[in-house]
Amino acid sequence: MARAQIRFLLASSCLAGAALTAPGCATAPKPQASHVPYEHGEFIQEGLASWYGPGFHGRKTASGEKYDQRDLTCAHRKLPFGTKLKVTNLRNGQELIVTVNDRGPFVRNRIVDVSHEAAKQLDFLHDGTAPVRLERMTSAQPPQPLEVMNAAAVDPE
């Protein structure tokens, strides 16, 4: 059989396979997290976080930066690079601000991958995952340390 015929048969079988599998796309899993669309300013999302570290340290992220597991960064599927997110561990109330610089997570049912350092500060390093709330920090919010913001929330003077 000539090479051109083989290529045509392979292409035809791939197209037929794609046509057979296309209806399966309609049964994609529904998102686990609730959120307000980020295009409209506010963004809140809750779901499961995981962390990544040593195996990726020094490698290039999707934003082009080198991944440093000691930085407070994260991977999110859709938020723009450079977005600041307040991450709250819903098990213990620990919170911190991270910057989106990568894409992911690529594991089903997870909404964010945080750096090794972020997982350490959020106190879920040993567990591997934790339920979290993500809140987009807007430019209208003052760039204060979380301790100052938390103190203001407790003592409204």
Side-chain angles (χ1 to χ4, degrees):
M1 192 178 282
R3 287 183 186 211
Q5 289 175 324
I6 293 172
R7 280 189 222 135
F8 174 76
L9 289 174
L10 287 174
S12 298
S13 65
C14 289
L15 291 174
L20 292 174
T21 59
C25 296
T27 60
K30 293 181 181 178
Q32 271 55 18
S34 61
H35 68 275
V36 176
Y38 58 86
E39 300 88 53
H40 299 110
E42 187 177 358
F43 175 87
I44 299 170
Q45 186 176 27
E46 290 186 358
L48 196 60
S50 52
W51 65 271
Y52 66 124
F56 296 93
H57 185 72
R59 292 174 59 184
K60 193 180 273 193
T61 64
S63 68
E65 297 176 28
K66 279 192 175 179
Y67 174 69
D68 187 336
Q69 66 181 354
R70 298 170 300 236
D71 289 342
L72 296 177
T73 59
C74 71
H76 192 276
R77 287 185 184 98
K78 294 183 180 180
L79 289 173
F81 298 133
T83 300
K84 302 284 187 191
L85 292 173
K86 181 171 78 168
V87 182
T88 305
N89 182 334
L90 297 176
R91 282 191 194 130
N92 60 22
Q94 294 287 333
E95 55 187 25
L96 68 115
I97 297 175
V98 297
T99 304
V100 176
N101 75 339
D102 206 357
R103 290 292 173 232
F106 298 107
V107 176
R108 190 175 184 195
N109 298 330
R110 295 187 189 168
I111 62 167
V112 69
D113 273 337
V114 299
S115 66
H116 180 272
E117 182 62 26
K120 183 177 172 184
Q121 290 188 31
L122 290 166
D123 196 25
F124 74 89
L125 193 60
H126 297 291
D127 295 333
T129 61
V132 297
R133 177 182 304 113
L134 305 178
E135 297 173 69
R136 179 177 164 177
M137 304 299 290
T138 64
S139 59
Q141 295 167 315
Q144 299 177 8
L146 286 174
E147 294 82 20
V148 173
M149 291 191 305
N150 290 340
V154 174
D155 186 16
E157 287 187 27

